[in-house]
Amino acid sequence: MGKTVEKQKHEIMLENQIKVSFLYHSGFLVELPEIIFLFDYYKGVIPELDSRKNIYVFSSHRHPDHFCFEIFALAEKYPNIKYILSRDIGKKYKKKYMMEKKGLSEEVCRLITYLKEDELWEDESIIVQTIPSTDAGVAFLVQEKQTKRAVYHAGDLNWWTWEGETAEEYQTMTKKFKDCIALLKQKLERMDISCFDAAFVPLDPRQKERYAMGFDFFMRHIPVTYVFPMHAFGDYSVIGKLMRDELSEKYRDRIINICGQEKRKVKILNPEMRRRVKELLNR
């Protein structure tokens, strides 16, 4: 299969009519012909959306780098919107708090569905299967019913192993992570999904030399057409590091190397400096 990826700023057009916009950190907008998914938004610019489409807003857990109350303002602009949130968000922010402290209306509150670990939910358009996380909340397996396209957003499901931890801590985390990936693989088979069209998976530079353990394990055990590294806290050099690492040799052509910053135009007033810069660019 040829790789037909077009990239302009933070928008990536994949095969099978899927457009992905990288917003920030773990926030992504996934646009299909009839449906839009917004995952783990808390920062960045959300582009104008097609109000005729069904829009699903997902938040994997309550951490402030994965969830913010600004997402509920979208309901004022887009009538066909639903919120699929991890149960831990509802436990921390009760309905009374949402309405009295955050100003949510009864109508918006009715648009929210809270899902616990390993729960299946569906409506007329999509199927959502949650996977337990190794940190807080859940990961999302989402399938569009009509076309069978499927995407995966890990949230904070990762092999969170750190330098200096005890052998017991390492073993506990390793078992938990591998059990979650085994469950994900099992759900794929039950839902007759041969391959994710797109997956969003943590690649966290804070783990230093262990930065790619979870990402690599995922890629070697879960079928996916394209994968988007995320959760880098602005340090996007970690993606280039993985692309150069021998570890990724068998799957690096499936990694989408998102860039962390848009190009900025700088006006150079000095004519001689403009000439020199032009010469360098043309070499």
Side-chain angles (χ1 to χ4, degrees), residues 11-15 17-21 29-32:
E11 295 181 359
I12 298 97
M13 183 63 72
L14 302 179
E15 298 157 351
Q17 294 182 287
I18 299 175
K19 185 172 80 171
V20 177
S21 298
L29 186 72
V30 181
E31 299 179 69
L32 307 178

Side-chain angles (χ1 to χ4, degrees), residues 4 18 34 48 75-78 83 119 130 139 154 157 161 164 183 201 216 240 281:
T4 58
I18 299 175
E34 305 296 333
E48 192 73 20
E76 299 175 5
K77 190 173 184 179
Y78 301 107
Y83 297 90
E119 184 171 0
T130 61
L157 171 52
T161 176
L183 178 62
V201 180
D216 179 70
L281 291 174

Side-chain angles (χ1 to χ4, degrees), residues 3-264:
K3 184 175 181 180
T4 58
V5 179
E6 298 175 7
K7 181 175 178 182
Q8 184 177 8
K9 296 184 179 178
H10 292 205
E11 295 181 359
I12 298 97
M13 183 63 72
L14 302 179
E15 298 157 351
N16 210 7
Q17 294 182 287
I18 299 175
K19 185 172 80 171
V20 177
S21 298
F22 172 55
L23 304 177
Y24 184 76
H25 192 52
S26 298
F28 289 87
L29 186 72
V30 181
E31 299 179 69
L32 307 178
E34 305 296 333
I35 294 177
I36 297 173
F37 303 136
L38 176 63
F39 289 103
D40 280 20
Y41 173 81
Y42 89 99
K43 185 177 180 180
V45 178
I46 300 174
E48 192 73 20
L49 305 179
D50 187 341
S51 60
R52 297 168 298 180
K53 294 183 179 182
N54 290 329
I55 300 172
Y56 297 86
V57 181
F58 296 86
S59 294
S60 64
H61 60 288
R62 66 182 183 273
H63 290 169
D65 61 325
H66 292 261
F67 168 75
C68 70
F69 285 95
E70 284 76 6
I71 59 176
F72 299 113
L74 295 171
E76 299 175 5
K77 190 173 184 179
Y78 301 107
N80 303 316
I81 195 167
K82 293 181 181 179
Y83 297 90
I84 313 297
L85 310 182
S86 171
R87 181 68 59 86
D88 70 311
I89 296 173
K91 286 183 178 180
K92 182 174 183 179
Y93 303 111
K94 305 296 184 183
K95 182 178 178 181
K96 182 178 180 181
Y97 176 87
M98 293 274 213
M99 297 182 70
E100 294 182 0
K101 300 295 184 180
K102 294 299 180 179
L104 269 67
S105 65
E106 180 73 40
E107 183 180 8
V108 171
C109 288
R110 285 198 296 267
L111 298 175
I112 303 172
T113 297
Y114 295 104
L115 298 181
K116 63 180 183 295
E117 296 180 350
D118 193 9
E119 184 171 0
L120 184 69
W121 176 90
E122 63 181 294
D123 66 2
E124 67 282 356
S125 300
I126 66 170
I127 302 172
V128 179
Q129 172 67 56
T130 61
I131 305 296
S133 177
T134 47
D135 191 358
V138 300
F140 292 111
L141 186 171
V142 186
Q143 183 182 36
E144 184 187 25
K145 286 185 174 180
Q146 184 176 356
T147 65
K148 303 300 182 181
R149 296 181 183 91
V151 298
Y152 168 77
H153 193 285
D156 266 359
L157 171 52
N158 188 31
W159 194 344
W160 295 116
T161 176
W162 310 91
E163 293 179 3
E165 66 187 353
T166 65
E168 183 180 0
E169 288 171 333
Y170 176 82
Q171 291 168 4
T172 299
M173 172 53 63
T174 298
K175 183 180 185 307
K176 188 175 183 181
F177 173 72
K178 291 185 176 181
D179 285 349
C180 288
I181 297 301
L183 178 62
L184 174 60
K185 189 172 184 179
Q186 182 184 90
K187 298 300 182 183
L188 279 170
E189 293 172 354
R190 287 184 180 179
M191 295 172 69
D192 196 27
I193 298 173
S194 59
C195 184
F196 283 121
D197 292 280
F200 307 91
V201 180
L203 188 69
D204 197 318
R206 299 175 303 165
Q207 292 183 274
K208 297 182 179 179
E209 294 306 311
R210 305 181 185 189
Y211 78 106
M213 287 177 62
F215 191 98
D216 179 70
F217 190 88
F218 176 89
M219 293 301 293
R220 294 178 188 275
H221 292 83
I222 301 298
V224 57
T225 303
Y226 293 113
V227 61
F228 292 75
M230 65 178 191
H231 209 270
F233 290 97
D235 183 4
Y236 304 98
S237 65
V238 73
I239 304 174
K241 181 179 178 180
L242 178 61
M243 298 287 276
R244 296 186 299 270
D245 198 319
E246 291 182 5
L247 197 68
S248 67
E249 182 179 358
K250 292 185 178 180
Y251 54 77
R252 66 171 62 114
D253 62 330
R254 289 180 278 151
I255 300 173
I256 301 297
N257 190 356
I258 56 176
C259 98
Q261 297 180 352
E262 296 183 10
K263 294 180 180 178
R264 293 183 295 174

